[in-house]
Amino acid sequence: MHTPRHPLSYALFAVSLVLASAHVAAAADDPLSSWNDGAAKRAVVDFVQRVTTPGGADFVPEPERIATFDNDGTLWAEQPMYFQLAFAFDRVKGLAPQHPEWKKQEPFKSFLAGDLKGALAGGAKALVQLVMVSHAGVTTAEFEQTVKDWIATARHPRFHRPYTECMYQPMLELLAYLRTNGFKTYIVSGGDVDFMRAWTEQVYGIPPEQVVGSTIKTKFEMRDGKPVLMRLPEVDFIDDKVGKPVGIHKFIGRRPLLAFGNSDGDHQMLKWTAAGRGLRFMGLVYHTDAEREWAYDRTSHVGQLDKALDEATARGWTVVNMQHDWKTIFPPPAGR
Amino acid sequence: MHTPRHPLSYALFAVSLVLASAHVAAAADDPLSSWNDGAAKRAVVDFVQRVTTPGGADFVPEPERIATFDNDGTLWAEQPMYFQLAFAFDRVKGLAPQHPEWKKQEPFKSFLAGDLKGALAGGAKALVQLVMVSHAGVTTAEFEQTVKDWIATARHPRFHRPYTECMYQPMLELLAYLRTNGFKTYIVSGGDVDFMRAWTEQVYGIPPEQVVGSTIKTKFEMRDGKPVLMRLPEVDFIDDKVGKPVGIHKFIGRRPLLAFGNSDGDHQMLKWTAAGRGLRFMGLVYHTDAEREWAYDRTSHVGQLDKALDEATARGWTVVNMQHDWKTIFPPPAGR
């Protein structure tokens, strides 16, 4: 905008400034400005207003306003593969020089030769082997640093931006909106809890103690006179499907008032939330946008959404249609 | 105090009133008024001032102010037996009519005949059996109600007051003082997490999500079309000794800035806390008051304090001498 010279232009300029700031103010006043006006946005706002209105029939005291969010496919993308798996694969490649024996040992041999299909021919066991060597055998502090280093440098293969910029802008707004309204926002994800905690506070504003996830066992040891926690190659807890209500009960000990997922892995969490007394909110992010993100549902290997979609439809849970409900998908790139 | 009749008496009366209210105000101004002035109280106040003074060398941002407290023997008493064990025993007695087979089956047979020593002759296995039948086989909601009913009616055998009035008044003040100063207060206890969560919010002001404890496995099931979590008779995690740093990392994901315990069961938690960068506070409640509570340490079966006491002495951790440091032990009885 250039500064006008004519007196009338000045008046128009002043008016345009007022209008422009009114526009900005309107956008700033809308905490969910990346959401199109529609049923999904209305359902969220209506729910929050009802449970936070003192004296209202649906009022819920602040300590009970627990909101749980799945991570992969709900807060950030999960295609073409779970981002944690991309981390695991990069890590195996990075560790390979220290493990000459992998050249003769499956699934590492195929994997390092670039044959992912061959590597995964061993099924779940092969995958667990790849994940365990990349996630265990180090202290918790070392693992945290490894994740931080990776997440700072790795780029998403399609969007060519850091994975931490592949989260959904409308969901970031929803997290902030809920916190402004006295909710405690939690992640409840099948991902490794320590993989997530290395960056969730910075990226989502969700502190480590509000991240629930899958865990591997750790062991307390004294090393050179200093206590460390060693990460063991042994699964402790899988926070997925029927594990999600178990994880919520174990880590939080309180039933969510609001829960958001995107796949059948979240179905039991949504059922558990819905079964609570009084008003509850159950939401699904439905990936319908092949152009701006991806479109997948009932037959997808990653983030299959089938039974949960049927129950959502039958019970009137909120289904967020990514293509129609979201003005933007990702946040603007950070200044790089 | 009677109302004086003489004019001079009135003046003195007025002066005494002013002095009395000044005294009350001073007590109210001291958030740790049940603590005697001494090294322990000074150490706590000095630490809190240093980590909360903006711009100071030891300043710690609020999200990192995590304080963890052991429960049995640190926040409430643990003699003559852990209160959760008293619950278990009462529960077994209550369930006995539904289990006629127990009359012929150890350890129940001896236990129900009043022979605790005989019942526990089976060692740890017998104890686990007694605990499991009293803690498992019900839904999480049913268990919570059972604990609430018990804690509302059971009385401590020596003090003849509810167990929830056998917590330490000075520690209640410490919890509140820390929270006022931006700390998040956690329980990290060997006790069953769901046993504690049934009453910690009301008694300590500590919400369920800030209680870390031992867990038994739970299983998600649909029962009459409603989702429930069944408590299984299978240990999931023991939050004691080397388990405490593991539990802290798993549930909180952040190292405590301050930790308080009373026994060797807390030793590793204190070591883990001490190994963090910068200023940290490690505290022990030392049971030295046989008259007002109990005196026990190195050879006690309950709450043995031996190695942790040696390390506390060697490293200058704060040892709270109950007899000398605390003006009062328990809070005044609630209006009954």
Side-chain angles (χ1 to χ4, degrees):
Chain A
M1 194 181 279
H2 67 278
T3 311
R5 289 186 190 155
H6 195 275
L8 182 61
S9 296
Y10 269 108
L12 287 170
F13 176 65
V15 167
S16 73
L17 272 182
V18 168
L19 290 175
S21 37
H23 179 76
V24 168
D29 281 352
D30 182 359
L32 301 175
S33 58
S34 297
W35 292 67
N36 284 315
D37 292 321
K41 181 175 179 173
R42 274 199 307 276
V44 167
V45 172
D46 178 62
F47 174 79
V48 170
Q49 285 176 350
R50 285 170 71 180
V51 297
T52 58
T53 301
D58 299 310
F59 179 75
V60 175
E62 213 164 303
E64 293 171 29
R65 294 183 204 155
I66 302 287
T68 58
F69 289 82
D70 169 59
N71 185 39
D72 299 307
T74 299
L75 293 181
W76 73 356
E78 61 182 351
Q79 300 278 9
M81 68 167 87
Y82 294 126
F83 298 173
Q84 191 187 334
L85 207 53
F87 161 77
F89 289 166
D90 284 353
R91 181 92 182 119
V92 170
K93 285 177 207 154
L95 288 169
Q98 298 165 43
H99 292 275
E101 75 278 12
W102 287 353
K103 283 179 191 153
K104 296 179 179 176
Q105 192 184 320
E106 291 293 3
F108 306 103
K109 186 183 161 189
S110 296
F111 175 77
L112 293 171
D115 176 12
L116 187 57
K117 204 176 159 189
L120 297 182
K125 198 187 150 204
L127 191 61
V128 167
Q129 274 184 284
L130 286 166
V131 170
M132 281 301 173
V133 300
S134 55
H135 283 66
V138 291
T139 68
T140 51
E142 289 161 353
F143 184 72
E144 181 183 349
Q145 194 55 53
T146 303
V147 175
K148 283 185 168 165
D149 292 345
W150 179 81
I151 209 115
T153 54
R155 293 289 180 276
H156 188 277
R158 173 174 164 192
F159 299 115
H160 309 292
R161 45 162 60 195
Y163 287 102
T164 47
E165 293 176 17
C166 296
M167 75 287 277
Y168 305 128
Q169 176 64 24
M171 296 306 277
L172 293 179
E173 292 170 8
L174 177 56
L175 289 173
Y177 173 60
L178 290 171
R179 288 194 290 258
T180 301
N181 282 283
F183 281 77
K184 233 176 181 173
T185 53
Y186 279 82
I187 290 173
V188 175
S189 163
D192 180 286
V193 74
D194 287 341
F195 174 78
M196 295 185 283
R197 283 171 174 166
W199 48 266
T200 55
E201 188 159 35
Q202 199 190 330
V203 172
Y204 298 136
I206 295 182
E209 64 268 26
Q210 286 164 224
V211 181
V212 177
S214 296
T215 51
I216 63 176
K217 295 206 171 172
T218 65
K219 185 166 180 275
F220 179 88
E221 284 179 12
M222 296 302 291
R223 187 194 268 189
D224 304 327
K226 291 267 183 190
V228 295
L229 290 172
M230 285 301 299
R231 290 174 61 84
L232 308 181
E234 197 181 333
V235 170
D236 176 47
F237 174 63
I238 300 292
D239 189 50
D240 197 29
K241 296 191 167 71
V242 293
K244 290 209 175 188
V246 170
I248 287 169
H249 182 77
K250 175 153 73 170
F251 287 81
I252 310 175
R254 193 133 44 184
R255 196 187 299 254
L257 189 59
L258 173 151
F260 238 106
N262 78 298
S263 79
D264 283 0
D266 307 308
H267 194 181
Q268 288 83 357
M269 171 169 77
L270 297 172
K271 276 177 177 291
W272 181 244
T273 302
R277 270 181 307 158
L279 201 64
R280 307 270 160 168
F281 184 98
M282 285 63 62
L284 279 172
V285 173
Y286 191 3
H287 294 263
T288 52
D289 196 329
E291 198 177 314
R292 295 186 300 173
E293 206 243 10
W294 277 275
Y296 56 98
D297 51 19
R298 298 184 189 272
T299 60
S300 178
H301 288 295
V302 172
Q304 182 182 35
L305 176 62
D306 183 35
K307 289 181 182 164
L309 186 58
D310 289 340
E311 184 159 357
T313 309
R315 297 194 188 273
W317 297 348
T318 297
V319 178
V320 177
N321 184 315
M322 207 178 234
Q323 192 183 18
H324 298 134
D325 286 319
W326 287 357
K327 279 184 199 156
T328 54
I329 305 289
F330 300 119
R336 281 196 303 277
Chain B
M1 196 182 277
H2 65 279
T3 311
R5 290 190 186 148
H6 193 275
L8 182 60
S9 297
Y10 269 107
L12 287 171
F13 177 62
V15 168
S16 72
L17 272 183
V18 167
L19 290 175
S21 37
H23 179 77
V24 168
D29 281 351
D30 181 0
L32 301 175
S33 59
S34 296
W35 293 67
N36 284 315
D37 291 322
K41 181 175 180 174
R42 275 198 307 276
V44 167
V45 172
D46 178 63
F47 174 79
V48 170
Q49 284 176 349
R50 286 169 71 179
V51 298
T52 58
T53 300
D58 300 311
F59 179 75
V60 175
E62 213 164 302
E64 293 171 28
R65 294 183 204 156
I66 301 289
T68 56
F69 288 82
D70 170 59
N71 185 39
D72 299 306
T74 299
L75 294 181
W76 73 356
E78 61 182 351
Q79 300 278 9
M81 68 166 89
Y82 293 126
F83 298 173
Q84 191 188 333
L85 208 53
F87 162 76
F89 289 166
D90 284 353
R91 181 91 181 119
V92 170
K93 283 177 211 155
L95 288 169
Q98 298 164 44
H99 292 274
E101 75 277 12
W102 286 353
K103 282 181 191 152
K104 294 179 180 176
Q105 190 184 323
E106 290 295 359
F108 307 102
K109 185 183 161 189
S110 296
F111 175 78
L112 292 172
D115 176 12
L116 188 56
K117 206 176 158 188
L120 298 181
K125 198 187 149 204
L127 190 60
V128 167
Q129 274 184 285
L130 286 167
V131 169
M132 282 301 174
V133 299
S134 55
H135 283 66
V138 291
T139 68
T140 51
E142 288 162 351
F143 184 71
E144 181 183 348
Q145 194 55 52
T146 302
V147 175
K148 283 185 169 166
D149 291 346
W150 179 81
I151 209 114
T153 54
R155 292 291 181 275
H156 187 277
R158 175 174 162 192
F159 299 114
H160 309 293
R161 47 160 61 194
Y163 287 102
T164 48
E165 292 175 17
C166 296
M167 76 286 276
Y168 305 128
Q169 176 63 23
M171 297 305 278
L172 293 179
E173 293 170 8
L174 177 56
L175 289 173
Y177 174 61
L178 290 171
R179 288 194 289 257
T180 301
N181 282 282
F183 282 76
K184 232 176 181 174
T185 52
Y186 279 82
I187 290 173
V188 176
S189 163
D192 180 286
V193 72
D194 286 341
F195 175 77
M196 296 185 284
R197 282 170 173 166
W199 48 266
T200 55
E201 189 159 35
Q202 200 191 331
V203 172
Y204 298 136
I206 296 182
E209 63 269 27
Q210 286 164 223
V211 181
V212 177
S214 296
T215 51
I216 63 175
K217 295 206 172 172
T218 64
K219 186 167 179 275
F220 179 88
E221 283 179 13
M222 296 301 291
R223 186 193 269 189
D224 303 327
K226 290 267 182 189
V228 296
L229 289 172
M230 284 301 300
R231 290 174 60 85
L232 308 181
E234 196 182 335
V235 171
D236 175 48
F237 175 63
I238 300 291
D239 189 50
D240 196 29
K241 297 192 166 70
V242 293
K244 289 209 174 187
V246 169
I248 287 169
H249 182 77
K250 175 152 73 170
F251 286 81
I252 310 176
R254 197 141 30 193
R255 196 187 298 255
L257 188 60
L258 173 151
F260 239 106
N262 78 299
S263 79
D264 283 1
D266 306 309
H267 194 182
Q268 287 84 357
M269 171 169 78
L270 297 172
K271 275 177 178 291
W272 180 245
T273 302
R277 272 181 306 160
L279 201 64
R280 306 271 160 167
F281 185 98
M282 286 63 62
L284 278 171
V285 172
Y286 191 2
H287 294 262
T288 53
D289 196 329
E291 198 177 314
R292 293 186 299 173
E293 205 244 9
W294 277 275
Y296 57 98
D297 50 21
R298 297 182 190 274
T299 59
S300 177
H301 289 294
V302 172
Q304 182 183 34
L305 176 63
D306 183 35
K307 290 180 181 165
L309 186 58
D310 289 340
E311 185 159 357
T313 309
R315 297 194 187 272
W317 297 348
T318 297
V319 178
V320 176
N321 184 315
M322 206 177 233
Q323 193 183 16
H324 298 132
D325 285 320
W326 286 357
K327 278 184 200 156
T328 54
I329 306 287
F330 301 119
R336 282 195 302 278

